[in-house]
C-alpha cells in the first residue's frame, strides 16, 4: 500500500499531493550538491520540497523553492512549515520559463523532468513532473544563466545517456561542467544517472563514481556515507 509520507532523520516529507514521490534521484541531488558557502539557493521544480529540506539541513542559506504545479507548491509549503527550517524556505508557484528572480542565486538545483519520448501517464500531475514538455533542458539552462551569480553553481541530476547533450546545451549559455557523479545501481552495470554541477567558469572537471547497491536492498558503503545524515536506518 502507498505510504503518504517518507520519514527522514530530521524532517518528514509528505508526498500524497505530488506527481513525483520521494525517490533516490532527489536524495542523491540533495546529498551531493555543494552548499558550504551558499547564501541564496533556488530549487527549480521543487515537488515535495525534499531537496530544499535536505539543503536547509546542512546550510544556513535562504532557499526559494518553485514549482509550476499548485498542489506541489501546497505540499512543499506544508513540508517546509513543519520542518526546523521553515523560516529559511520560501515556496512559490512559478513557471521557470518566465521566472524573474528578485536577486541572483549563488546555488541553483533541479531534479528536472526527463522522460522525453516515453509513454505518458494518464495522471497529468505525474506527466508534468516526469516529462520535458513543461520544462525542456534548453529552457532550464536558459533560466539558470539568467538567475545565477557569476561565481554560482548549478547542480542537476539526469539520465546518464543524455549527459553529452546536456553539456552541449549548457555550453550555449556559457555554463560548463566542473564536477559530476556517475551513479551505478548494481555492480557491473552501466551508469544510470549523472549528477553534475555547472558553472560559468571553464575548469578541469572533477569526476566521481557511486555504486548505490552491492546487492538487492544492500546499500554500498559509499552510498551510506553520502546519505547517512538523512535516512533513518543508515
Amino acid at each position: 500500500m502507498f505510504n503518504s509520507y517518507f520519514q527522514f532523520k530530521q524532517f518528514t516529507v509528505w508526498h500524497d499531493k505530488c506527481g513525483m514521490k520521494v525517490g533516490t534521484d532527489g536524495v542523491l541531488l540533495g546529498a551531493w550538491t555543494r552548499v558550504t558557502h551558499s547564501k541564496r539557493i533556488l530549487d527549480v521544480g521543487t515537488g515535495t520540497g525534499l531537496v530544499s529540506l535536505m539543503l536547509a539541513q546542512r546550510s544556513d542559506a535562504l532557499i526559494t523553492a518553485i514549482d509550476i504545479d499548485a498542489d506541489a507548491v501546497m505540499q512543499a509549503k506544508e513540508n517546509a512549515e513543519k520542518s526546523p527550517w521553515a523560516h529559511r524556505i520560501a515556496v512559490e508557484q512559478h513557471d521557470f520559463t518566465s521566472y524573474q528572480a528578485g536577486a541572483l542565486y549563488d546555488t541553483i538545483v533541479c531534479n528536472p523532468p526527463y522522460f522525453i519520448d516515453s509513454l505518458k501517464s494518464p495522471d497529468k500531475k505525474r506527466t508534468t513532473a516526469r516529462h520535458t514538455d513543461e520544462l525542456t533542458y534548453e529552457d532550464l539552462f536558459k533560466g539558470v544563466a539568467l538567475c545565477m551569480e557569476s561565481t554560482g553553481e548549478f547542480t542537476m541530476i539526469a539520465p546518464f545517456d543524455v549527459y553529452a547533450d546536456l553539456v552541449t546545451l549548457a555550453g550555449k549559455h556559457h555554463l560548463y561542467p566542473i564536477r559530476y557523479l556517475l551513479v551505478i545501481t548494481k555492480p557491473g552495470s552501466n551508469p544510470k544517472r549523472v549528477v553534475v554541477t555547472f558553472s560559468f567558469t571553464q575548469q578541469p572537471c572533477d569526476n566521481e563514481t557511486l555504486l548505490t547497491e552491492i546487492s538487492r536492498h544492500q546499500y554500498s558503503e559509499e552510498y551510506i556515507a553520502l546519505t547517512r545524515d538523512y535516512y533513518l536506518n543508515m
Side-chain angles (χ1 to χ4, degrees), residues 92-165:
E92 303 171 359
Q93 185 175 4
H94 293 287
D95 180 345
F96 190 55
T97 61
S98 58
Y99 179 66
Q100 295 183 337
L104 299 180
Y105 297 90
D106 53 44
T107 305
I108 302 178
V109 292
C110 184
N111 178 8
Y114 53 77
F115 291 99
I116 299 174
D117 299 316
S118 60
L119 183 65
K120 295 186 178 180
S121 166
D123 182 341
K124 187 176 186 304
K125 291 183 188 302
R126 189 168 176 82
T127 293
T128 299
R130 292 169 65 89
H131 292 262
T132 58
D133 298 33
E134 299 289 342
L135 181 65
T136 66
Y137 290 133
E138 177 75 34
D139 291 335
L140 179 58
F141 288 119
K142 180 181 178 181
V144 167
L146 292 172
C147 293
M148 192 167 74
E149 290 183 353
S150 60
T151 57
E153 294 185 351
F154 166 53
T155 304
M156 64 179 292
I157 186 166
F160 172 71
D161 59 9
V162 303
Y163 177 67
D165 293 333

Side-chain angles (χ1 to χ4, degrees), residues 79-93:
N79 287 329
E81 287 168 358
K82 294 174 182 175
S83 79
W85 314 287
H87 60 293
R88 290 197 285 113
I89 303 174
V91 184
E92 303 171 359
Q93 185 175 4

Side-chain angles (χ1 to χ4, degrees), residues 218-229:
Q218 186 175 355
Y219 295 110
S220 68
E221 287 299 320
E222 56 264 37
Y223 184 71
I224 292 171
L226 181 65
T227 61
R228 65 162 41 104
D229 288 342

